[in-house]
């Protein structure tokens, strides 16, 4: 097939240094180089082929995933890849599998909750993958409510063992990835019981399968929970069900960094602060925010490139039809998603810094920033995953009918991504946690306690409750100070209004429950303010490269003003802006769409994704969509034969009307 770059003209319009933007997106020149090498290594290896994934049956699909994971591990060892390179290689293999939970949850759990002695024993085995672990917390009957978990770990002082038991059907561990068919061990979370007393949820390392023949150990009932949403997609993962029937493990397999049980069965808190356990949670949630930017940027890349290739209507005198990307309705739906991908990338970078800062403070017994870090990661995990799931689906619709084809890459991307809205905390539950943090912050405003970090703006609550937005013309909406003050005023007013209404209730808990819908809006407003402020901070940094800073400024303003437009009711109802100022914001937003239009294709090129990683005929780098769509169609197994299986049994009798007459 002839290689033609159908998007070359679009790339020629770019008003900025694309290579410099690639560095900004990657985070550094080093990170860009590592990503580039690993992406090309995966794309050039036929074992990592994925274009046929949606056509495979479940068993074949899963076995293929095992093959890829084993091959990836082989290549990591053969090439002596660093931890950073290995992680990037697994990212570009782009197939959910047991290794995700092994490296992303099991290893961090031992690091965060195991004693030095336990880490010395278990981590070398995990690092060499001589054991494969998963994270068994969620149960059939409880997910978000961790304190409601039913699995028990009862200490037996006679044998110096814990007895792990599933007392009911709903106590079955349910959903852990890797558990169904692969994991040999699990970090199991259960109610610790000593001498009849329940000490709450604690972690335990439990072996599940024999290291000789992989069969389940005595007392272990284990399997896969079944096919999930979508073709291919997350069905590459063996999400599992697990029941324990009085399974005994040695006492030293309780993760004892924070608390322990002595040989005599006495429960003790160690010198290590229990707050350290939050470090693992903060780490996992900040990686989820980073993953949101990756997923949304993939969808935006596909939709932008295809929108530039696709032409519909607008031809007057036999000339070419109009590029879909030139329609204002397309721009108003697509460009905010492109801006959001960049926004989530930069807030994800900031969360990495926050995690490092919190970790350092925790090790020095400084817990002052922990509540804020918990609220930030919970809220941003919720907001970015919900927006990304919705954004991927919007990109599918922006690609018209062809977006519905599996070969577009968008249906499978959506099906793989959408579980993020519920794992590691249901998004609504997480936002309510943020709301509690905000209500506590508001309640302390008159006590002399000064809010810090992302809530520092609340220290100016008196001003923000009364200020009027300083916008007289549309161009005023380009000023960072104006945008920030509008978002700060909205966030403060929603939070204070909720606090005032809660105070009128019979009890705080009753008020919180009654106002939960309003509290969600206040939490969302706070999180959107964080994203806007971090995007503005990024733009204000010294950014090298011709035109890069200008493009980031436009993207930042598009993100902020599109959020304002979407939540206009909040801004108007709280009196942050007038209807005239809202109209001016919309005028400015339309102008920004026109400014970003010539650079749209170059801005998605800056993501530096290979065709293999995108996995989309519509999002191909060369834009050669139609011949490749046609070619893909013929690869479907239904086209293996011209006359379909079942013709003689079911089609021919209909056509020939050869039915036996029924007797009435």
């Amino acid at each position: 097939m002839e290689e033609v770059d159908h998007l070359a003209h679009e790339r020629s319009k770019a008003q900025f240094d694309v290579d410099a933007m690639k560095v900004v997106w990657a985070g550094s020149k080093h990170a860009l180089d590592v990503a580039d090498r690993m992406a090309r290594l995966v794309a050039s290896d036929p074992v990592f082929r994925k274009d046929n994934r949606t056509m495979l049956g479940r068993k074949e699909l899963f076995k293929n995933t095992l093959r890829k994971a084993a091959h990836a591990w082989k290549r990591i060892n053969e090439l002596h890849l660093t931890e950073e390179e290995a992680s990037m290689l697994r990212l570009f293999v782009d197939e959910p599998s047991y290794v995700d939970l092994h490296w992303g949850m099991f290893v961090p759990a031992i690091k965060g909750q195991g004693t030095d002695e336990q880490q010395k024993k278990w981590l070398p085995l995990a690092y060499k993958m001589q054991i494969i672990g998963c994270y068994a917390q969620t149960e059939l009957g409880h997910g978000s409510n961790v304190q409601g978990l039913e699995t028990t770990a009862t200490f037996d002082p006679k044998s110096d063992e814990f007895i792990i038991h599933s007392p009911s059907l709903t106590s079955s561990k349910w959903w852990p990835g890797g558990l169904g068919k692969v994991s040999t061990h699990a970090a199991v979370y259960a109610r610790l019981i000593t001498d009849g007393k329940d000490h709450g949820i604690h972690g335990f390392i439990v072996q599940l399968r024999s290291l000789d023949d992989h069969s389940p150990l005595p007392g272990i009932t284990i399997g896969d929970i079944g096919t999930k949403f979508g073709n291919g997609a997350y069905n590459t993962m063996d999400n599992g069900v697990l029941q324990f029937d009085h399974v005994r493990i040695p006492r030293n397999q309780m993760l004892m960094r924070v608390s322990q049980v002595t040989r005599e069965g006495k429960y003790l808190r160690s010198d290590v602060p229990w707050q350290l356990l939050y470090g693992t949670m903060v780490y996992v949630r900040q990686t989820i925010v980073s993953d949101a930017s990756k997923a949304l940027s993939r969808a935006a890349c596909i939709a932008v490139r295809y929108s530039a290739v696709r032409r519909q209507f607008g031809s007057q005198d036999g000339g070419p039809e109009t590029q879909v990307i030139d329609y204002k309705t397309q721009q108003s739906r697509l460009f905010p998603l492109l801006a959001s991908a960049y926004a989530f990338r930069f807030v994800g970078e900031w969360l990495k810094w926050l995690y490092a800062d919190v970790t350092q403070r925790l090790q020095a017994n400084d817990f002052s920033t922990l509540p804020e870090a918990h609220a930030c990661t919970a809220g941003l995990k919720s907001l970015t995953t919900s927006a990304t799931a919705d954004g991927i689906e919007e990109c599918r619709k922006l690609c018209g009918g062809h977006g519905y084809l599996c070969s577009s890459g968008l249906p499978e991307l959506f099906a793989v991504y959408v579980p993020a809205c519920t794992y590691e905390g249901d998004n609504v539950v997480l936002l309510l946690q943020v709301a509690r943090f905000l209500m506590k912050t508001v309640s302390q405003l008159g006590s002399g306690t000064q809010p810090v970090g992302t809530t520092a703006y609340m220290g100016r609550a008196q001003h923000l409750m009364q200020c009027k937005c300083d916008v007289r013309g549309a161009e005023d909406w380009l000023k960072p100070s104006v945008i920030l003050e509008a978002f700060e005023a909205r966030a403060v007013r929603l939070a204070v209004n909720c606090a005032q209404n809660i105070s009128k209730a019979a009890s705080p808990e009753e008020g919180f429950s009654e106002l939960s819908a309003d509290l969600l809006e206040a939490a969302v407003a706070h999180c959107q303010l964080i994203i806007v402020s971090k995007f503005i901070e990024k733009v204000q940094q010294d950014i090298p490269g011709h035109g890069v800073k200008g493009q980031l400024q436009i993207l930042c303003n598009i993100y902020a003003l599109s959020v304002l437009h979407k939540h206009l009711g909040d801004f108007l109802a709280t009196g942050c802006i007038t209807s005239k100022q809202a109209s001016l914001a919309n005028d400015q937003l339309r102008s920004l769409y026109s400014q970003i239009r010539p650079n749209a294709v170059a801005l998605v090129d800056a993501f530096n994704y290979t065709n293999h990683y995108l996995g989309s005929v519509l999002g191909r780098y060369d834009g050669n969509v139609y011949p490749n769509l046609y070619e893909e169609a013929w690869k479907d197994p239904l086209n293996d034969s011209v006359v379909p299986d079942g013709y003689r049994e079911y089609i021919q009798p209909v056509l020939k009307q050869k039915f036996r007459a029924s007797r009435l």
Side-chain angles (χ1 to χ4, degrees):
M1 192 180 298
E2 184 183 2
E3 293 293 329
V4 181
D5 188 348
H6 293 271
L7 293 171
H9 178 64
E10 286 293 327
R11 296 186 171 103
S12 71
K13 299 176 184 176
Q15 300 161 348
F16 67 98
D17 183 343
V18 179
D19 289 334
M21 187 67 88
K22 287 179 181 179
V23 174
V24 171
W25 175 263
S28 68
K29 181 66 166 65
H30 168 73
L32 175 63
D33 289 343
V34 170
D36 197 51
R37 281 188 290 110
M38 293 303 104
R40 295 183 190 288
L41 178 66
V42 170
S44 63
D45 193 325
V47 175
F48 296 128
R49 176 191 173 191
K50 62 180 186 178
D51 60 310
N52 63 338
R53 190 162 54 191
T54 58
M55 303 175 195
L56 301 178
R58 180 79 200 284
K59 280 191 173 183
E60 191 181 359
L61 180 72
F62 180 64
K63 189 173 181 180
N64 197 37
T65 302
L66 298 183
R67 184 169 66 100
K68 289 182 184 180
H71 185 64
W73 183 239
K74 178 185 173 191
R75 297 299 285 150
I76 287 167
N77 286 290
E78 286 174 346
L79 299 171
H80 305 289
L81 299 185
T82 64
E83 194 172 328
E84 178 189 17
E85 290 169 332
S87 176
M88 199 60 73
L89 182 141
R90 287 192 290 267
L91 166 72
F92 288 118
V93 170
D94 188 39
E95 191 143 326
S97 77
Y98 67 89
V99 296
D100 301 346
L101 281 299
H102 176 82
W103 294 108
M105 295 293 288
F106 182 70
V107 169
I110 296 172
K111 277 183 174 179
Q113 299 164 36
T115 62
D116 291 344
E117 186 180 349
Q118 288 174 324
Q119 290 184 36
K120 284 176 186 173
K121 176 181 178 180
W122 296 103
L123 287 179
L125 296 171
Y127 283 143
K128 294 174 186 173
M129 294 200 81
Q130 291 173 332
I131 62 171
I132 296 170
C134 67
Y135 190 86
Q137 178 173 291
T138 298
E139 294 178 354
L140 187 57
H142 288 92
S144 296
N145 181 16
V146 176
Q147 297 310 312
L149 297 179
E150 300 175 75
T151 303
T152 56
T154 306
F155 183 64
D156 178 4
K158 293 179 183 176
S159 61
D160 195 26
E161 294 173 321
F162 284 106
I163 303 169
I164 312 293
H165 184 61
S166 306
S168 64
L169 179 68
T170 50
S171 71
S172 306
K173 294 300 178 183
W174 190 273
W175 275 117
L179 172 66
K181 294 295 173 183
V182 179
S183 297
T184 61
H185 291 68
V188 174
Y189 290 82
R191 314 193 73 80
L192 171 60
I193 298 170
T194 62
D195 198 23
K197 185 177 180 182
D198 186 335
H199 298 281
I201 305 302
H202 289 69
F204 302 82
I205 297 176
V206 183
Q207 185 172 348
L208 307 174
R209 292 179 168 97
S210 163
L211 293 175
D212 294 324
D213 63 6
H214 208 61
S215 58
L217 296 183
I220 301 281
T221 301
I222 196 167
D224 186 274
I225 62 171
T227 307
K228 290 145 313 237
F229 179 67
N231 288 26
Y234 221 82
N235 289 300
T236 56
M237 181 75 81
D238 55 326
N239 298 90
V241 53
L242 168 65
Q243 279 201 326
F244 299 101
D245 183 5
H246 299 90
V247 174
R248 290 177 173 267
I249 62 168
R251 177 173 55 88
N252 63 11
Q253 286 182 214
M254 170 185 167
L255 291 168
M256 294 192 187
R257 187 175 185 189
V258 170
S259 54
Q260 56 186 271
V261 172
T262 66
R263 175 66 185 84
E264 296 74 32
K266 190 174 181 182
Y267 179 77
L268 299 173
R269 286 279 185 191
S270 72
D271 295 334
V272 177
W274 64 268
Q275 290 96 332
L276 278 175
L277 295 180
Y278 279 105
T280 305
M281 186 188 300
V282 172
Y283 167 76
V284 171
R285 286 179 180 161
Q286 63 92 13
T287 60
I288 292 174
V289 174
S290 294
D291 290 343
S293 72
K294 293 186 188 86
L296 185 54
S297 60
R298 284 175 71 175
C301 184
I302 294 167
V304 166
R305 286 178 178 170
Y306 180 62
S307 295
V309 169
R310 183 74 165 177
R311 292 176 178 271
Q312 291 288 291
F313 306 113
S315 175
Q316 299 299 326
D317 47 11
E321 293 179 278
T322 303
Q323 288 171 277
V324 171
I325 199 170
D326 285 329
Y327 288 105
K328 298 303 178 183
T329 48
Q330 190 83 351
Q331 293 178 7
S332 66
R333 296 162 64 197
L334 179 56
F335 291 164
L337 297 176
L338 175 59
S340 296
Y342 275 90
F344 296 171
R345 179 68 173 182
F346 299 141
V347 82
E349 277 183 6
W350 172 73
L351 277 181
K352 284 182 181 177
W353 170 85
L354 183 70
Y355 168 69
D357 181 68
V358 167
T359 302
Q360 198 172 12
R361 288 171 182 269
L362 288 177
Q363 289 167 350
N365 285 352
D366 175 3
F367 311 120
S368 60
T369 60
L370 193 57
E372 184 205 1
H374 180 257
C376 278
T377 51
L380 291 172
K381 181 271 177 188
S382 174
L383 190 142
T384 58
T385 55
S386 291
T388 295
D390 292 345
I392 295 169
E393 168 61 6
E394 186 71 0
C395 285
R396 183 192 67 77
K397 290 186 282 192
L398 284 163
C399 291
H402 294 334
Y404 193 63
L405 284 168
C406 283
S407 58
S408 77
L410 292 164
E412 192 178 15
L413 178 60
F414 178 77
V416 165
Y417 188 76
V418 78
C421 294
T422 41
Y423 64 57
E424 288 314 296
D426 175 84
N427 282 355
V428 170
V429 173
L430 291 182
L431 284 176
L432 288 173
Q433 291 177 10
V434 177
R436 285 195 183 276
F437 169 72
L438 293 177
M439 293 304 96
K440 185 176 180 180
T441 304
V442 170
S443 71
Q444 295 172 339
L445 288 179
S447 66
T449 303
Q450 195 64 21
V452 295
T454 55
T455 56
Y457 68 97
M458 286 194 172
R460 295 180 286 108
Q462 197 168 3
H463 164 73
L464 292 170
M465 289 295 290
Q466 300 170 355
C467 68
K468 299 294 182 184
C469 190
D470 187 19
V471 171
R472 295 180 179 85
E475 67 281 353
D476 288 330
W477 278 115
L478 300 178
K479 297 174 182 175
S481 59
V482 169
I483 291 172
L484 271 178
E485 188 169 75
F487 273 79
E488 287 173 348
R490 168 205 179 207
V492 163
R493 294 178 196 194
L494 288 174
V496 169
N497 287 346
C498 284
Q500 290 173 342
N501 288 330
I502 287 173
S503 69
K504 299 171 187 174
S507 70
E509 278 307 308
E510 190 177 314
F512 194 92
S513 175
E514 186 65 28
L515 288 159
S516 56
D518 294 347
L519 287 160
L520 287 177
E521 292 181 7
V524 166
H526 173 69
C527 294
Q528 287 171 338
L529 167 60
I530 295 173
I531 297 174
V532 168
S533 65
K534 296 308 168 188
F535 206 155
I536 287 173
E537 285 178 17
K538 181 71 178 181
V539 173
Q540 290 173 342
Q541 292 174 7
D542 182 23
I543 301 172
H546 166 70
V548 171
K549 193 181 186 79
Q551 292 305 307
L552 291 178
Q553 182 69 70
I554 295 171
L555 287 166
C556 179
N557 290 333
I558 287 176
Y559 178 76
L561 295 182
S562 63
V563 168
L564 185 148
H565 178 73
K566 185 176 180 181
H567 296 271
L568 200 52
D570 287 349
F571 287 90
L572 291 172
T574 53
C576 300
I577 64 173
T578 65
S579 57
K580 173 63 175 173
Q581 290 169 336
S583 179
L584 291 171
N586 284 341
D587 292 344
Q588 186 55 253
L589 194 52
R590 282 194 298 273
S591 173
L592 290 167
Y593 293 155
S594 297
Q595 292 173 51
I596 211 73
R597 165 62 187 96
N599 300 286
V601 169
L603 282 167
V604 299
D605 286 349
F607 302 148
N608 203 36
Y609 294 149
T610 61
N611 284 339
H612 178 274
Y613 182 60
L614 274 184
S616 170
V617 172
L618 303 188
R620 291 171 56 93
Y621 182 83
D622 62 12
N624 197 16
V625 171
Y626 301 125
N628 284 281
L629 271 177
Y630 187 81
E631 188 177 281
E632 283 298 311
W634 293 106
K635 294 178 182 177
D636 192 280
L638 271 183
N639 288 322
D640 287 349
S641 60
V642 176
V643 176
D645 292 343
Y647 165 74
R648 292 190 182 281
E649 298 94 324
Y650 308 114
I651 300 176
Q652 192 177 49
V654 172
L655 291 171
K656 302 296 185 184
Q657 299 293 302
K658 292 182 177 178
F659 296 112
R660 294 174 64 182
S662 61
R663 294 179 181 175
L664 296 177

